[in-house]
Amino acid sequence: TLQMQLCAYVFLCSQRKEIDDTLATFALSPTQLQEVKAKMRVELERGLKKDSHPTASVKMLPTYVYRTPDGTERGKYLALDLGGTNFRVLVVKIRTGMRNSVRMYNKIYAIPLEIMQGTGEELFDLIVQCISDFLDYMGMKNTRLPLGFTFSFPCNQTEVTSIVNMILGDLVSWTKGFKATDCEGYDVVDMLREAIKRRNEFDLDIVAIVNDTVGTMMTCAYEDPKCQIGLIAGTGSNVCYMEEMNNIEFVEGDEGQMCVNTEWGGFGENDNTEDIRTRYDREVDGGSLNPGKQRFEKMTSGMYLGEIVRQILIDLTKRGLLFRGRITERLKTKGIFETKFLSQIESDRLALLQVRSILQSLGLDSTCDDSIIVKEVCGAVSRRAAQLCGAGMAAVVDKIRENRGLDHLEITVGVDGTLYKLHPHFSTILKDTVRELAPNCKVDFILSEDGSGKGAALITAVIDKYLYAMRFSDETLRDIMARFRREMENGLGRDTNPTATVKMLPTFVRSIPDGSEKGDFIALDLGGSNFRILRVKVSHEKKQTVQMENQIYETPEDIIQGSGSRLFDHVAECLGDFMEKQKIKDKKLPMGFTFSFPCAHSKLDEAVLLTWTKRFKASGVEGMDVVKLLNKAIKKRGDYDADIMAVVNDTVGTMMTCGFDDQRCEVGIIIGTGTNACYMEELRHIDMVEGDEGRMCINTEWGAFGDDGTLEDIRTEFDREIDRGSLNPGKQLFEKMVSGMYMGELVRLILVKMAKEGLLFEGRITPELLTKGTFETKHVSAIEKSKEGLTKAKEILTRLGVEPSEDDCIAVQHVCTIVSFRSANLIAATLGAILTRVKDNKNSPRLRTTVGIDGSLYKMHPQYARRLHKTVRRLVPESDVRFLLSESGSGKGAAMVTAWASRLADQTRQIAETLAEFRLTKEQLLEVKKRMRTEIQNGLSKNTQSTATVKMLPTYVRSTPDGTG
């Protein structure tokens, strides 16, 4: 027994040593911290020098803020705060007298994702729109106020108007999810001024624009005049401070001071922190959006500390040192261990039982020993972060002391950020480290009390926890383009087509309208529970004109789900009714049939249904030629006749409709209840059709893209739930991610999940919200309207039994935006693949073409079209694409195809009539023989030889060779 106890003790000691050795890599000795301080000091100096600034990892950007408040300020100012998904507008009233006071009034506005990633003009127009709304709210529209702008992104500041006017210049780069185009490298002040001019409702004096670190310093300096440093220790990490002008080599002037924005998050990008980086830091860096960048920030900021802890826990568990060696799926999930858990776990007031409860909420079945180890891991990671910030701060305060030639410096640091505010030990360790490394400096820290609101935190939680997978970078979209391009190739190949998900069906439509079409046509349009019959007249009296008359007929559910014969009998009956009303029953007009279901064509007037979609299940139709079925139903009636010359789907009809107005149109798209695309392909690339000359329209049937698992990496849990509950699980997966039939349901599922987690509606879930189909795609469109969207959100949610707060409505609007934005991005990627193929087919350096579009989602959603157009232009920059909305649906397109087919038939008939004159019957050939015999006789006779047409002239050659010569 003693031996067993001894072995157990040795084993536990061995485990303890492994854990201690792991955590020892995060323990920084005083010597190491002094080295970090020294290296930071070197980088501070390099960032200030003109020669070394371009390659310095700490950029030391000038802000043109020349002084901090001195207590004499007073008046009323307008302040803007832009640094995340919410934008804040404030009025700040400063009073002086017996006791200085500051009063603030503010309003928060959400910034839609499409604005964050749209154009700079749209972003600044929204900012000015928010300012206008706030000034109306405050009754200050006619008051010209000085404007201060907190703009929390790296900028090069280049302009100074006076000693108190700090004007920011060019944006260096976007961060925090912003990607607005035409901003980087441009003057933000000019963009804001131009937006104010465009609105032409008010005027403002733009006095100062600073980032959040500088804003924190200035806020705290009003309370404490010794505050000349600003520190952000939260999601990100940064420092600014007042530097002597004579040390800033790339700014003119030697007198006085200027605030420098260090952007110290980049410290270490030149590998000078490799000796203290651990393999866990490298793992986190490798999995980040910007590998190799912002290395210091990734070791010190709230965005990354939780992820570092997760990597350590996974490693210890793999080695059997934690959680009995069992790694849960949740622990494998990136971002699952949030930095807020470090703050909670390290709280001195939190018992181990509560730590265990936190771990269990993450799916981790922990013992008390596990809880102790996890607490130690969190402590090691957060302690190192605080020490590194302290070492960096020590470098800054020592530099300031030496700048001023002082033996001893007293200074205050203004601080903001959730890590500093909420972590129980971070601030203490930071202060202790500064005290140890800069003993000649007495440094006080003052907290900026102005934090972010619940709405910003809620939206951030929504994006990070649930919707991260729905946000695509351009790199991901280009990868999707490449995948779809491969599927197109497979669909066009004879050998690969049978297994291709994108079927690339030939339509036998060989050209778009050329303007010569004319005549009187009938068009049927069947693609849903309602179908349309049209009479289309195309004439050329002075210019080509089109007249259309149409009627909509309902298709009852029992017919949709019944037999094929009943369905086509119903169509024939409605067609007879329409012709009766048009008084054309006695005419046999050319007819086009828009049949919006996947079909295989062998010629223009033949279409074999491959499979029903859109709830249709009429029996006996799949595998049959729908033209024959309709002709059979018409003949069975016997009261009229029809000449069905062409059958196309709605996508081809849309392309032909738009092609009538713009002959450059060679792509058609439907973005509505369903989605599909067609385009003009070179015949030489279509293996299933004979011939190499000319082009033919291909119906891609792209809704099935991904049915083979190609899109599994970008599908979310909500997409899979939608698919499981559909009529055709495992089919049309791309369509289920992007089309109007499913978009509202996707949003509903996300809202239910959020409510269950307590992130929405205070955790309340109503029966209406749990009911499938109650949140419709039209609600998404209504909620995303720029002016009334939040009001619509409240109305819609109230009808679903929810009593939403304003923050709830903002969050729901954001969910709608991300879901619909994903749809537009995915459509843009697949369309981009088609456009690239068309361009390559033409072997042209730049593509100029038109895309015809129809569909309720594209038409009715207030932002969809703009998002789609922008993304396409980014993904296919070497193209000039016009997007043309089909105003009259695909029925007109069917008539155009019929007109083309009718014209082709007329041309064929005329050619045949011309060639008929050259055809000789057998009797005619015998008569020719007889006449030739007569003329030969006449030519041989002396009496008739002179008048014979066949002269029969003698040659005096009397024999042929006989082989004896």
Side-chain angles (χ1 to χ4, degrees):
T1 303
L2 183 60
Q3 187 177 15
M4 290 176 63
Q5 289 176 340
L6 183 60
C7 289
Y9 176 76
V10 171
F11 176 74
L12 290 173
C13 288
S14 174
Q15 283 189 316
R16 185 66 249 181
K17 185 177 186 306
E18 282 193 66
I19 294 168
D20 290 344
D21 289 345
T22 298
L23 299 185
T25 60
F26 288 86
L28 299 176
S29 67
T31 301
Q32 287 176 308
L33 289 172
Q34 287 286 1
E35 288 175 357
V36 171
K37 172 190 171 185
K39 290 175 182 178
M40 177 68 80
R41 178 67 184 272
V42 169
E43 287 302 301
L44 294 175
E45 297 291 351
R46 291 186 73 241
L48 290 170
K49 303 295 182 184
K50 183 179 291 187
D51 294 338
S52 54
H53 174 80
T55 59
S57 62
V58 179
K59 286 302 180 185
M60 305 297 283
L61 303 174
T63 67
Y64 295 93
V65 174
Y66 291 97
R67 63 178 178 86
T68 57
D70 61 6
T72 62
E73 297 80 10
R74 64 177 180 177
K76 188 185 296 183
Y77 303 90
L78 189 67
L80 315 179
D81 189 353
L82 177 66
T85 55
N86 280 352
F87 170 71
R88 195 161 58 129
V89 187
L90 311 89
V91 164
V92 182
K93 296 180 179 179
I94 304 174
R95 294 180 179 177
T96 57
M98 292 288 293
R99 188 174 64 179
N100 292 357
S101 68
V102 178
R103 297 179 65 185
M104 295 189 298
Y105 307 86
N106 73 86
K107 198 170 180 181
I108 295 173
Y109 299 87
I111 302 180
L113 187 63
E114 72 271 12
I115 298 294
M116 290 171 63
Q117 300 185 357
T119 67
E121 184 170 298
E122 289 169 338
L123 174 62
F124 284 92
D125 281 347
L126 176 66
I127 290 171
V128 173
Q129 178 183 321
C130 295
I131 296 172
S132 175
D133 175 79
F134 182 77
L135 292 175
D136 276 337
Y137 173 75
M138 295 295 296
M140 300 169 62
K141 205 65 168 287
N142 298 320
T143 306
R144 181 166 177 164
L145 295 176
L147 171 67
F149 193 358
T150 301
F151 188 74
S152 305
F153 305 93
C155 291
N156 282 323
Q157 292 172 280
T158 55
E159 180 184 348
V160 187
T161 58
S162 76
I163 196 68
V164 295
N165 285 9
M166 298 78 71
I167 301 299
L168 177 145
D170 301 337
L171 173 65
V172 175
S173 64
W174 284 119
T175 57
K176 309 174 189 178
F178 278 74
K179 288 185 180 179
T181 59
D182 301 321
C183 291
E184 292 181 350
Y186 289 89
D187 191 329
V188 178
V189 174
D190 285 345
M191 288 188 277
L192 181 58
R193 284 174 176 155
E194 288 301 317
I196 292 172
K197 287 179 184 177
R198 281 194 297 273
R199 190 151 187 108
N200 197 29
E201 288 185 2
F202 55 85
D203 200 3
L204 298 171
D205 292 324
I206 305 175
V207 174
I209 303 186
V210 296
N211 77 353
D212 53 347
T213 319
V214 180
T216 296
M217 182 189 73
M218 298 295 280
T219 299
C220 296
Y222 187 80
E223 304 295 330
D224 184 346
K226 291 189 297 181
C227 181
Q228 294 197 315
I229 304 174
L231 168 67
I232 297 294
T235 305
S237 180
N238 195 19
V239 160
C240 70
Y241 71 98
M242 297 302 295
E243 176 62 82
E244 303 302 313
M245 282 286 294
N246 58 3
N247 291 333
I248 310 173
E249 291 188 356
F250 42 84
V251 175
E252 292 183 2
D254 292 327
E255 298 295 320
Q257 297 176 324
M258 179 187 289
C259 179
V260 170
N261 168 24
T262 67
E263 290 292 337
W264 78 0
F267 176 54
E269 289 179 12
N270 55 1
D271 295 333
N272 58 359
T273 58
E274 282 305 294
D275 57 324
I276 61 171
R277 290 178 79 216
T278 68
R279 62 190 180 96
Y280 308 106
D281 297 311
R282 295 183 181 93
E283 187 78 19
V284 168
D285 180 44
S288 69
L289 292 173
N290 55 346
K293 304 293 183 183
Q294 299 294 103
R295 289 182 179 178
F296 187 70
E297 187 172 78
K298 288 170 185 172
M299 298 168 73
T300 60
S301 76
M303 182 175 285
Y304 300 97
L305 296 190
E307 185 62 11
I308 294 173
V309 169
R310 187 182 73 86
Q311 294 291 344
I312 299 171
L313 299 186
I314 288 175
D315 181 52
L316 293 179
T317 306
K318 283 180 179 178
R319 289 192 268 159
L321 304 174
L322 269 180
F323 311 130
R324 304 178 186 88
R326 291 195 294 270
I327 301 177
T328 64
E329 287 302 315
R330 293 198 70 187
L331 187 58
K332 293 178 184 177
T333 305
K334 182 179 179 181
I336 192 68
F337 202 101
E338 298 175 44
T339 299
K340 69 179 182 181
F341 296 142
L342 274 75
S343 300
Q344 295 169 1
I345 288 170
E346 291 187 65
S347 172
D348 294 331
R349 298 189 301 275
L350 205 60
L352 288 179
L353 192 61
Q354 292 171 294
V355 174
R356 188 180 180 191
S357 176
I358 292 172
L359 295 175
Q360 286 176 334
S361 73
L362 297 174
L364 301 170
D365 186 15
S366 63
T367 64
C368 284
D369 287 340
D370 290 334
S371 299
I372 292 170
I373 294 169
V374 170
K375 194 163 187 172
E376 290 176 358
V377 170
C378 292
V381 171
S382 62
R383 179 178 181 80
R384 185 190 66 166
Q387 286 180 319
L388 288 173
C389 285
M393 183 60 68
V396 171
V397 296
D398 251 349
K399 176 167 176 51
I400 293 173
R401 181 182 63 82
E402 291 178 19
N403 284 346
R404 299 178 186 178
L406 301 174
D407 293 329
H408 186 81
L409 173 72
E410 292 188 9
I411 199 167
T412 299
V413 179
V415 193
D416 200 0
T418 52
L419 191 58
Y420 185 94
K421 288 180 177 179
L422 301 179
H423 193 282
H425 307 304
F426 188 96
S427 61
T428 301
I429 296 169
L430 170 66
K431 294 171 186 176
D432 289 344
T433 305
V434 174
R435 191 178 302 114
E436 291 167 10
L437 298 182
N440 295 326
C441 300
K442 181 179 182 298
V443 184
D444 294 321
F445 292 81
I446 181 172
L447 186 64
S448 173
E449 295 295 337
D450 187 29
S452 59
K454 176 188 173 185
L458 179 60
I459 292 172
T460 302
V462 170
I463 295 172
D464 290 345
K465 193 168 184 179
Y466 295 111
L467 301 177
Y468 180 81
M470 289 189 172
R471 301 168 66 197
F472 301 134
S473 65
D474 283 357
E475 182 182 1
T476 300
L477 292 175
R478 290 190 180 95
D479 180 50
I480 295 168
M481 280 177 65
R483 299 182 207 182
F484 187 71
R485 185 73 184 267
R486 287 193 294 270
E487 286 300 303
M488 292 173 68
E489 297 280 358
N490 290 339
L492 290 170
R494 188 184 303 276
D495 297 332
T496 51
N497 176 269
T499 58
T501 57
V502 180
K503 285 300 180 185
M504 305 295 283
L505 303 172
T507 66
F508 292 85
V509 174
R510 297 175 183 268
S511 73
I512 58 173
D514 63 2
S516 64
E517 295 77 16
K518 63 180 179 179
D520 197 352
F521 309 99
I522 297 293
L524 307 182
D525 191 350
L526 177 63
S529 56
N530 289 340
F531 79 96
R532 197 161 58 130
I533 305 178
L534 308 90
R535 185 179 182 185
V536 182
K537 296 179 182 178
V538 186
S539 61
H540 285 270
E541 293 177 0
K542 292 183 179 178
K543 63 177 182 177
Q544 191 174 40
T545 59
V546 178
Q547 292 179 301
M548 291 194 300
E549 298 177 71
N550 73 87
Q551 188 165 339
I552 295 174
Y553 294 87
E554 184 181 356
T555 308
E557 195 71 20
D558 61 320
I559 289 180
I560 288 176
Q561 306 282 336
S563 67
S565 60
R566 283 190 66 202
L567 173 63
F568 286 98
D569 285 347
H570 175 69
V571 173
E573 180 184 345
C574 296
L575 179 58
D577 176 74
F578 181 79
M579 296 180 77
E580 181 75 42
K581 290 176 179 176
Q582 291 288 318
K583 298 179 181 179
I584 52 174
K585 258 193 171 181
D586 57 333
K587 298 181 179 180
K588 188 178 180 179
L589 295 181
M591 184 180 298
F593 188 9
T594 301
F595 187 72
S596 305
F597 304 93
C599 290
H601 295 254
S602 59
K603 51 186 179 178
L604 189 58
D605 60 353
E606 180 184 284
V608 176
L609 176 65
L610 298 177
T611 181
W612 282 119
T613 57
K614 309 174 190 177
R615 297 187 0 264
F616 275 70
K617 286 188 176 180
S619 61
V621 183
E622 291 181 350
M624 303 295 290
D625 180 2
V626 296
V627 176
K628 289 181 179 178
L629 294 176
L630 180 55
N631 274 329
K632 182 179 178 181
I634 291 171
K635 287 177 181 177
K636 188 163 60 175
R637 289 179 58 85
D639 57 339
Y640 66 90
D641 200 1
D643 184 12
I644 303 175
M645 303 190 71
V647 57
V648 297
N649 76 354
D650 53 346
T651 318
V652 180
T654 295
M655 183 188 75
M656 297 297 283
T657 296
C658 296
F660 181 80
D661 298 318
D662 183 344
Q663 291 176 21
R664 288 199 312 180
C665 183
E666 50 193 340
V667 181
I669 299 182
I670 298 294
I671 311 172
T673 306
T675 184
N676 195 15
C678 69
Y679 73 102
M680 297 301 294
E681 177 60 85
E682 299 297 318
L683 260 175
R684 67 180 183 273
H685 295 150
I686 309 172
D687 288 355
M688 297 89 70
V689 178
E690 292 183 0
D692 291 333
E693 296 298 322
R695 300 198 297 174
M696 180 180 288
C697 179
I698 289 291
N699 167 25
T700 66
E701 289 296 337
W702 73 9
F705 178 39
D707 285 2
D708 59 351
T710 306
L711 299 177
E712 278 309 296
D713 59 323
I714 64 169
R715 292 176 73 219
T716 67
E717 61 178 287
F718 309 108
D719 295 311
R720 295 184 178 93
E721 190 170 348
I722 286 277
D723 182 47
R724 286 193 297 269
S726 68
L727 293 173
N728 56 345
K731 304 293 183 183
Q732 299 293 106
L733 296 184
F734 181 71
E735 184 168 76
K736 289 169 186 173
M737 296 173 75
V738 301
S739 75
M741 181 177 285
Y742 304 99
M743 185 176 289
E745 184 64 7
L746 267 173
V747 171
R748 185 189 70 83
L749 292 175
I750 295 168
L751 300 186
V752 168
K753 180 86 171 182
M754 290 173 59
K756 286 181 178 178
E757 295 289 330
L759 294 173
L760 275 180
F761 319 134
E762 297 181 351
R764 296 189 304 272
I765 305 174
T766 65
E768 294 88 347
L769 189 60
L770 288 172
T771 303
K772 182 178 179 179
T774 52
F775 200 101
E776 302 175 50
T777 299
K778 68 179 181 181
H779 295 152
V780 177
S781 298
I783 288 170
E784 288 195 62
K785 290 181 178 177
S786 56
K787 291 185 178 179
E788 57 194 70
L790 294 179
T791 302
K792 290 292 183 183
K794 187 169 185 178
E795 291 174 3
I796 291 163
L797 294 169
T798 301
R799 288 201 297 269
L800 294 176
V802 177
E803 296 179 6
S805 66
E806 183 176 352
D807 289 326
D808 288 333
C809 293
I810 291 172
V812 170
Q813 187 181 60
H814 212 80
V815 172
C816 292
T817 298
I818 289 175
V819 171
S820 61
F821 209 132
R822 181 186 72 158
S823 170
N825 278 341
L826 287 173
I827 292 285
T830 47
L831 174 58
I834 289 175
L835 293 171
T836 303
R837 182 170 181 86
V838 171
K839 175 180 172 293
D840 290 348
N841 284 345
K842 294 182 176 183
N843 195 26
S844 171
R846 190 165 192 85
L847 175 68
R848 289 178 173 81
T849 192
T850 297
V851 176
I853 305 189
D854 200 2
S856 54
L857 182 57
Y858 181 87
K859 287 180 177 178
M860 306 304 294
H861 191 285
Q863 316 292 343
Y864 197 98
R866 189 173 74 252
R867 295 171 185 167
L868 174 67
H869 301 170
K870 286 181 188 171
T871 308
V872 167
R873 289 177 183 127
R874 285 203 317 274
L875 296 180
V876 194
E878 64 284 354
S879 64
D880 299 313
V881 182
R882 180 190 181 200
F883 292 88
L884 182 59
L885 182 63
S886 173
E887 299 290 352
S888 48
S890 56
K892 175 183 171 183
M896 292 300 106
V897 176
T898 304
W900 171 77
S902 180
R903 187 185 76 213
L904 188 63
D906 287 343
Q907 290 174 346
T908 303
R909 185 169 56 253
Q910 291 171 9
I911 292 169
E913 289 173 355
T914 301
L915 296 179
E917 298 179 20
F918 293 89
R919 283 199 300 270
L920 299 175
T921 64
K922 184 177 181 181
E923 289 76 12
Q924 287 174 313
L925 290 171
L926 287 172
E927 181 62 28
V928 171
K929 174 187 174 185
K930 179 182 175 182
R931 294 177 185 177
M932 179 62 79
R933 181 69 181 271
T934 300
E935 285 301 304
I936 288 172
Q937 291 295 341
N938 289 340
L940 291 172
S941 172
K942 182 186 274 190
N943 295 330
T944 56
Q945 198 270 344
S946 61
T947 59
T949 57
V950 181
K951 291 298 184 183
M952 304 300 288
L953 302 173
T955 66
Y956 295 95
V957 175
R958 298 177 184 271
S959 68
T960 58
D962 61 4
T964 61

